[in-house]
Amino acid sequence: MTEGFEIDMSKFKEVKLDPWQHESIPADIKADILANIELCRDAVIFFTACGSASGYGGHTGGAFDTMPEVMLLRSFFNARPDKFVPIYFDEAGHRVATQYLLSALDGHVTFAHLKKYRVGHAGLPGHPELHCTPGVKFSSGRLGQMWPMVNGVGMANPDKIVWCLASDGAQQEGNDAEAARLAAARDINVKLIVDDNNVTIAGHPQDYLKGYNVEKTLEGHGMTCAVCDGEDLDALYKAMRAAVLKDGPVAVVAKRKMCPGVEGVEGTCHGHDAIAVAKAITYLEKKGYKEAVQWLQGPATKAEKDPRAGTYMGTQGSSVGANRAEFGNAVCKILAAMSPEERKQKVMCIDSDLEGSTGLKVIHQQFPDIFVQSGIMERGNFQAAAGFGMDKSKQAIFSTFAAFLEMCVSEMTMARLNHSNVLCHFSHSGVDDMADNSCHYGLNNFFADNGLDEHETTRLYFPADYHQLLKVVPAVFWDHGIRCIFTTRSKLPAIQDEQGKEMFGEGYTFVPGKDDVIRKGTKGYIVSYGDSLYRSLDAVERLRAEGVDVGLINKCTLNVVDDECMQLIGKTGFVLVVEPLNRKTGLGVRFGTWLLERGLSPKYGYIGSTREGCGGLWEHAYHQGYDADSILAKAKSMI
């Protein structure tokens, strides 16, 4: 039995299979590979369900699906290491469970450690990252970012074959179209295995992208393609062997259902993220894994929470809300007040397969006539929104994760040149609760403010809680130009005034460009926004309890100077900007200049995100040093 791991991985057998020697899989080798596939799939179900049970999530389906091709690749690498770059490159970072299982099989981590999947500081984050997990040999980045790099690996190793695991979701990204053209043009010896399961986060590509076909698309770029049943090991081997024997780029498209054989999950979107614990228990019970079931049901899988949760001064007893979800609710209120004819004529909302995560799902449900369910292609979707919004009477709504904002920067330039109206919602801003770790950090949101001063109308808004979000959306909805509303993945507590009332609720009016004075002070001020505001408020209240009269400003409009507020804070002893965004590109690098331009010279400092992720959820704010204690210590050092 494998020590500390409730599935006996000692049953795994290393296999050698030489595709140059064997036209088909010998019976004894086939039996071992099939047993390995089943064993590894069982392990993936178990330890990703640990992530589900502990609240960290885990993305089960992709890793479960692709185990046949991974086991075949392992047998190739074992048999002919001289012929391959022995790395299981994967352009779908959500199949990271595969990389961690391989690390355990290779002895870099223990199998028992896999039960800490996605736990903060455990080195097992939601996407593979170099220098984070022993044995991991690449950082996958986001969908569509890996294959172009694999082309370069192939060019650096012209005498070897490079494999890249791919997916029908990742193949929707424009980067992959460019990678395919380069691979074909340069005859790079890269081999793709595309897991074509017709499932992405929000639906089925064959339904929402009519005409999309992986193999026809790749063939159109000049790639040789072979299509097979991914669950038929002989057919899969035949296709992979043919790819090996043919020089140049080849794609094997493996057709299968998501999570084949997993009751209640097979063929559905429920396999994309971590398998539900109940479904995992049903699966494991049928396989006879009693100890694994007991572990999932036991206390060891329960999530750790922010040790300060519920105790932050200035928000104790407050209601809590998810800004990213409330965005959709706020938009629906506006749409509901319009006639169907006016709504259809004036508004279009386009999604990039993230509607359940960015709040657009409720718009889809209530107003399907103005909703466009599109694929994983942020650049093209943004441009479609911008094209719709070229008419001054129309408003386009576009949404994705803040990490993907960087992909739309040049498209925003084009939208400005065409005077387009686009209301953008970039959820998952900052680092808070970011289980997918560094590559999904939404850090460079100020990149959206890249227009010229002339005729510039781009506005960046980062509400502090759900009350303020519900006031921001209607206040800016019909404005012209590009408006970006940023929200966190995490839920945020409502900010209280000095009397304990939730200050952005009833009676509050949001004025674009106007900063909110949360607390007045005479010694100095902290300026903050988003999820860093309630942490800053706690630090301010603790300072005030010590007799230090420090104030707090909420700068919801990030890129507009409120001169009245600047005069208020700039004549005190210090100003400290606290934010969850990149310290190199955020508010902090601008705010000091704004003070100096107005002849104001308080002592100045700024805190922002500076480090790659630590995995986990709430742990990120502490890891980056904008937790309440760190803010308090920095403010004290400036007094």
Side-chain angles (χ1 to χ4, degrees):
M1 189 73 178
T2 308
E3 184 178 355
F5 196 68
E6 284 67 22
I7 293 176
D8 188 3
M9 298 305 295
S10 67
K11 296 178 180 179
F12 185 88
K13 295 182 180 179
E14 289 293 353
V15 176
K16 293 182 178 181
L17 179 58
D18 187 341
W20 284 272
Q21 180 179 348
H22 297 290
E23 186 174 340
S24 60
I25 311 175
D28 57 335
I29 294 178
K30 180 179 178 181
D32 287 342
I33 292 177
L34 286 171
N36 285 346
I37 292 168
E38 183 175 10
L39 180 65
C40 290
R41 279 180 162 176
D42 295 346
V44 165
I45 289 285
F46 174 52
F47 75 81
T48 60
C50 288
S52 182
S54 63
Y56 287 100
H59 295 286
T60 302
F64 184 94
D65 286 4
T66 55
M67 208 50 67
E69 43 264 51
V70 169
M71 289 299 103
L72 284 175
L73 281 182
R74 190 173 183 88
S75 71
F76 293 177
F77 294 170
N78 288 341
R80 297 298 302 271
D82 58 315
K83 290 288 190 178
F84 300 98
V85 174
I87 301 175
Y88 305 82
F89 287 112
D90 191 342
E91 65 169 353
H94 288 164
R95 293 198 290 251
V96 68
T98 298
Q99 304 302 324
Y100 298 154
L101 182 61
L102 292 170
S103 289
L105 288 170
D106 292 336
H108 297 291
V109 299
T110 65
F111 287 101
H113 189 64
L114 299 180
K115 295 190 294 187
K116 294 185 178 294
Y117 184 55
R118 282 190 162 200
V119 172
H121 300 286
L124 303 172
H127 282 237
E129 292 184 15
L130 284 171
H131 314 304
C132 191
T133 313
V136 167
K137 299 176 181 177
F138 65 94
S139 298
S140 72
R142 307 185 287 269
L143 290 185
Q145 292 190 321
M146 195 75 251
W147 183 8
M149 294 197 71
V150 169
N151 277 348
V153 174
M155 295 167 81
N157 296 272
D159 298 327
K160 293 188 176 183
I161 297 170
V162 187
W163 284 91
C164 182
L165 299 166
S167 68
D168 56 330
Q171 289 296 305
Q172 295 175 23
E173 288 283 16
N175 278 10
D176 275 0
E178 297 176 17
R181 290 195 292 270
L182 179 62
R186 302 297 300 177
D187 203 31
I188 302 170
N189 208 16
V190 60
K191 317 297 181 182
L192 251 65
I193 312 178
V194 183
D195 177 29
D196 191 356
N197 57 25
N198 191 34
V199 168
T200 52
I201 295 176
H204 305 282
Q206 291 175 14
D207 296 334
Y208 65 75
L209 282 183
K210 300 290 186 182
Y212 174 57
N213 181 289
V214 172
E215 57 270 24
K216 288 182 179 179
T217 299
L218 291 173
E219 287 170 349
H221 291 307
M223 295 278 291
T224 298
C225 289
V227 180
C228 66
D229 179 352
E231 293 303 293
D232 182 334
L233 191 65
D234 291 315
L236 183 62
Y237 174 72
K238 180 180 178 181
M240 292 176 63
R241 178 175 183 266
V244 167
L245 297 182
K246 179 177 175 55
D247 290 335
V250 180
V252 175
V253 180
K255 304 280 188 177
R256 58 165 62 90
K257 292 182 179 180
M258 169 73 85
C259 288
V262 181
E263 183 179 334
V265 182
E266 181 182 277
T268 73
C269 300
H270 300 301
H272 172 80
D273 207 334
I275 186 171
V277 174
K279 296 289 194 300
I281 287 175
T282 298
Y283 176 93
L284 294 168
E285 282 179 337
K286 288 184 176 180
K287 294 294 191 79
Y289 293 115
K290 294 181 180 179
E291 294 84 359
V293 170
Q294 290 172 357
W295 177 267
L296 290 176
Q297 294 174 329
T301 57
K302 299 301 179 286
E304 293 184 16
K305 295 184 178 180
D306 181 356
R308 289 292 316 280
T311 71
Y312 289 98
M313 297 181 69
T315 58
Q316 287 178 296
S318 284
S319 58
V320 176
N323 284 16
R324 62 187 173 113
E326 293 297 342
F327 174 84
N329 294 328
V331 170
C332 282
K333 288 183 180 180
I334 298 170
L335 298 176
M338 304 169 67
S339 68
E341 296 76 18
E342 183 185 20
R343 191 166 54 236
K344 182 72 173 177
Q345 180 186 14
K346 289 187 175 182
V347 183
M348 184 269 280
C349 177
I350 189 166
D351 176 52
S352 299
D353 192 52
L354 292 171
E355 62 181 73
S357 297
T358 64
L360 298 193
K361 187 173 184 179
V362 65
I363 303 175
H364 190 180
Q365 292 170 338
Q366 294 186 29
F367 304 103
D369 57 326
I370 60 97
F371 190 88
V372 178
Q373 185 180 11
S374 189
I376 308 165
M377 39 197 194
E378 298 81 5
R379 300 171 185 85
N381 290 338
F382 178 87
Q383 287 291 65
F388 182 90
M390 283 178 64
D391 187 319
K392 288 186 178 181
S393 68
K394 299 180 186 295
Q395 286 290 349
I397 304 168
F398 167 81
S399 187
T400 187
F401 292 168
F404 309 158
L405 179 154
E406 299 170 19
M407 302 161 68
C408 302
V409 171
S410 63
E411 281 68 24
M412 288 182 174
T413 298
M414 282 299 298
R416 289 189 191 92
L417 292 174
N418 285 292
H419 307 291
S420 297
N421 300 324
V422 187
L423 178 66
C424 304
H425 175 213
F426 292 107
S427 70
H428 294 56
S429 292
V431 304
D432 199 20
D433 253 22
M434 212 67 73
D436 282 339
N437 219 46
S438 306
C439 70
H440 271 57
Y441 275 179
L443 294 179
N444 295 312
N445 297 16
F446 273 87
F447 283 8
D449 187 22
N450 66 341
L452 300 172
D453 287 344
E454 185 180 25
H455 310 310
E456 180 48 49
T457 58
T458 300
R459 295 291 179 266
L460 313 182
Y461 304 104
F462 204 148
D465 63 22
Y466 75 97
H467 288 308
Q468 189 169 46
L469 182 282
L470 291 172
K471 301 296 177 66
V472 169
V473 173
V476 307
F477 187 87
W478 292 109
D479 287 351
H480 292 300
I482 299 172
R483 286 131 296 136
C484 300
I485 297 178
F486 303 124
T487 63
T488 59
R489 183 177 187 269
S490 58
K491 295 181 179 180
L492 301 179
I495 302 298
Q496 297 171 348
D497 62 19
E498 294 187 69
Q499 288 71 46
K501 178 184 176 183
E502 296 183 358
M503 66 181 300
F504 296 128
E506 185 178 352
Y508 171 77
T509 300
F510 175 73
V511 179
K514 187 68 178 173
D515 299 342
D516 304 297
V517 180
I518 308 301
R519 299 288 189 271
K520 283 191 174 181
T522 56
K523 292 290 186 181
Y525 274 89
I526 296 176
V527 178
S528 192
Y529 58 85
D531 66 288
S532 58
L533 187 75
Y534 76 85
R535 297 180 169 98
S536 297
L537 178 54
D538 177 83
V540 165
E541 290 287 20
R542 289 157 68 187
L543 285 167
R544 291 158 73 93
E546 295 176 10
V548 183
D549 189 25
V550 173
L552 177 64
I553 300 297
N554 174 40
K555 188 159 188 62
C556 181
T557 307
L558 298 182
N559 63 336
V560 176
V561 179
D562 180 347
D563 280 301
E564 182 180 357
C565 188
M566 295 295 272
Q567 294 299 321
L568 171 69
I569 69 178
K571 294 177 181 178
T572 61
F574 75 91
V575 172
L576 172 63
V577 171
V578 179
E579 59 186 325
L581 303 185
N582 188 344
R583 190 175 185 271
K584 293 176 66 176
T585 65
L587 178 65
V589 298
R590 296 161 170 76
F591 205 88
T593 300
W594 294 344
L595 288 166
L596 290 174
E597 287 174 342
R598 286 153 182 81
L600 305 169
S601 54
K603 186 179 291 187
Y604 182 69
Y606 54 103
I607 294 173
S609 292
T610 61
R611 308 173 70 185
E612 292 184 3
C614 63
L617 298 171
W618 55 270
E619 294 94 335
H620 289 291
Y622 291 85
H623 181 66
Q624 298 295 345
Y626 74 94
D627 59 285
D629 287 348
S630 296
I631 298 168
L632 178 66
K634 179 65 174 178
K636 282 186 174 182
S637 74
M638 297 178 68
I639 296 171

